């Protein structure tokens, strides 16, 4: 578990301005996280992901925490709860339901999911992780204090939620590929 520090509203505003500039520089392809899978693929991925996420939730141990730190289970529920705490401390809007709904659509709850078929993958930048983020978007919207690995569940969720907040107001406002 990483220790997260609170940042000021000014730092967040500067980060978002820098992030938007970075996305504009990287091109339109960097702003697209993923294309929607076919309905058959989404259904196949969703049902398998729900079963896998449910099994993982039942068996996952709690992460170790030091004094004055919350403990989060090392499963989908724990990752969402930890991401929400980070998002709250950073002023990034979003809810459990909004994150969970988008995770189920994008990865079926698999933190190692990788899209190898869309335009981003064909351009050499596949979307990865719970919320299917491409590396340039992850780099531009990474939340300080989280891991630098795009497939780290909490880092992936917070970066995607930060992007969604900048573009759509909140991850809660996202109901399809973003």
């Amino acid at each position: 578990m990483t220790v997260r520090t609170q940042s000021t509203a000014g730092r967040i505003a500067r980060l978002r301005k820098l992030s938007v500039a970075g996305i504009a520089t990287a091109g339109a392809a960097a702003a697209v996280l993923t294309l929607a899978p076919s309905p058959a693929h989404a259904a196949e991925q969703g049902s398998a992901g729900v079963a896998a996420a449910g099994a993982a939730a039942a068996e996952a141990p709690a992460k170790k925490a030091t004094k004055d730190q919350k403990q989060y289970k090392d499963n989908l529920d724990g990752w969402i709860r930890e991401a929400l705490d980070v998002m709250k401390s950073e002023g990034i809007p979003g809810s459990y339901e909004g994150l969970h709904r988008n995770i189920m659509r994008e990865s079926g709850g698999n933190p190692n999911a990788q899209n190898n078929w869309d335009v981003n993958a064909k351009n050499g930048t596949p979307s990865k992780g719970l919320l299917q983020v491409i590396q340039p978007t992850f780099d531009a919207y990474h939340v300080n204090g989280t891991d630098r690995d795009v497939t780290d569940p909490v880092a992936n969720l917070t970066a995607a939620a930060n992007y969604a907040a900048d573009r759509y107001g909140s991850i809660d406002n996202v109901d399809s590929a973003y």
Side-chain angles (χ1 to χ4, degrees):
M1 172 183 276
T2 55
V3 176
R4 302 184 197 328
T5 58
Q6 288 192 0
S7 64
T8 63
R11 191 177 112 217
I12 291 171
R14 287 191 303 277
L15 172 66
R16 288 200 172 133
K17 287 177 186 174
L18 176 62
S19 299
V20 171
I23 290 296
T25 305
V32 176
L33 289 175
T34 186
L35 296 176
S38 70
H41 180 74
E44 175 185 295
Q45 204 178 33
S47 63
V50 169
E59 299 174 11
K63 289 183 180 181
K64 292 192 178 205
T66 59
K67 185 180 176 188
D68 298 328
Q69 287 182 325
K70 284 187 180 180
Q71 287 189 333
Y72 302 96
K73 290 190 175 187
D74 191 19
N75 61 24
L76 185 58
D77 178 69
W79 301 327
I80 293 172
R81 291 182 189 287
E82 184 175 357
L84 285 168
D85 283 345
V86 173
M87 290 163 55
K88 182 178 179 183
S89 73
E90 296 293 324
I92 301 168
S95 69
Y96 189 102
E97 191 278 333
L99 287 171
H100 190 269
R101 174 176 30 88
N102 284 289
I103 290 165
M104 289 296 106
R105 184 189 63 254
E106 294 292 333
S107 69
N110 178 0
N112 297 311
Q114 181 169 313
N115 180 326
N116 290 314
W117 58 267
D118 73 0
V119 67
N120 293 311
K122 289 177 183 172
N123 289 332
T125 310
S127 50
K128 300 177 181 179
L130 290 170
L131 284 175
Q132 294 294 283
V133 181
I134 60 173
Q135 192 68 51
T137 302
F138 178 80
D139 293 341
Y141 288 89
H142 174 260
V143 177
N144 287 335
T146 64
D147 200 292
R148 289 305 238 164
D149 178 1
V150 69
T151 61
D152 174 81
V154 175
N156 186 277
L157 294 176
T158 56
N162 195 23
Y163 167 79
D166 190 47
R167 183 150 180 162
Y168 305 104
S170 172
I171 191 73
D172 296 343
N173 298 331
V174 178
D175 289 318
S176 64
Y178 55 114

